[in-house]
Amino acid sequence: MISQKMQEAINAQINEELFSSYLYLSMSAFFEDMSLTGFANWMRIQAQEEQFHAMKFFDYLSERGGRVELLAIEKPEKNWPDIVTVFEETYKHEQHITAKINELVSIAADEKDYASGNFLQWYVGEQVEEEAAASEILEQIKFLGENKHGILMLDREFKSRTFQPPVEA
Ligand code: OFO
């Protein structure tokens, strides 16, 4: 049986993951509106990944005899001044999520909940990838600057991104 404290922290994290999904879906809608369908696809896949992260916590909490409680999801931003700002916010958001995952790891250690500590390691690894992906795209877009041809090339590349649930999950 999972502790009350760990249960509350996981429920809060489910909300964080669902908000992440909502935020990236809003960014996808922003790009659709700009007719950058590749960027819109990249964000839509990102939203699906976040949904997956949320459901992985959902299933784990249930498996441990805890009770999932869904909290209200905050309304995400709708507009951004430019593409660079979207990816700056994406990168900043992923750093925020990493901090939240690290807090969960600390709670698991405090509670001597070794199963949760082990489970959370998947997210620790995942956050390294999430931050690296956001940071790499941010740097590419900064490099391209006003180069519209380059942005369209990147947009074409992002059209091919698909969602693949991790096999080991
Ligand atoms: Fe983007 O990693 Fe979950 O939130």
Side-chain angles (χ1 to χ4, degrees), residues 45-152:
I45 301 300
Q46 194 64 21
Q48 282 179 265
E49 286 202 358
E50 300 302 351
Q51 186 82 23
F52 178 85
H53 294 167
M55 291 314 295
K56 193 171 162 71
F57 274 116
F58 185 111
D59 291 340
Y60 174 74
L61 190 52
S62 302
E63 201 180 348
R64 291 288 310 279
R67 175 69 162 93
V68 171
E69 184 183 359
L70 297 177
L71 310 168
I73 303 170
E74 193 188 321
K75 185 180 189 291
E77 286 292 323
K78 180 182 167 192
N79 287 311
W80 292 268
D82 47 39
I83 304 176
V84 171
T85 312
V86 176
F87 281 92
E88 271 170 354
E89 187 162 322
T90 300
Y91 184 40
K92 210 170 86 193
H93 184 71
E94 288 304 331
Q95 288 173 309
H96 161 77
I97 294 295
T98 299
K100 288 284 161 192
I101 296 293
N102 290 343
E103 275 175 33
L104 284 173
V105 172
S106 297
I107 296 171
D110 290 348
E111 300 282 296
K112 296 195 177 7
D113 183 347
Y114 303 114
S116 292
N118 185 47
F119 168 76
L120 286 163
Q121 285 311 304
W122 183 84
Y123 288 90
V124 171
E126 181 72 1
Q127 280 314 115
V128 173
E129 286 177 29
E130 294 274 275
E131 282 195 32
S135 158
E136 188 182 305
I137 296 171
L138 175 59
E139 289 311 313
Q140 286 173 345
I141 290 167
K142 277 187 186 163
F143 177 78
L144 288 173
E146 294 300 308
N147 178 351
K148 289 196 168 60
H149 180 70
I151 294 289
L152 288 176

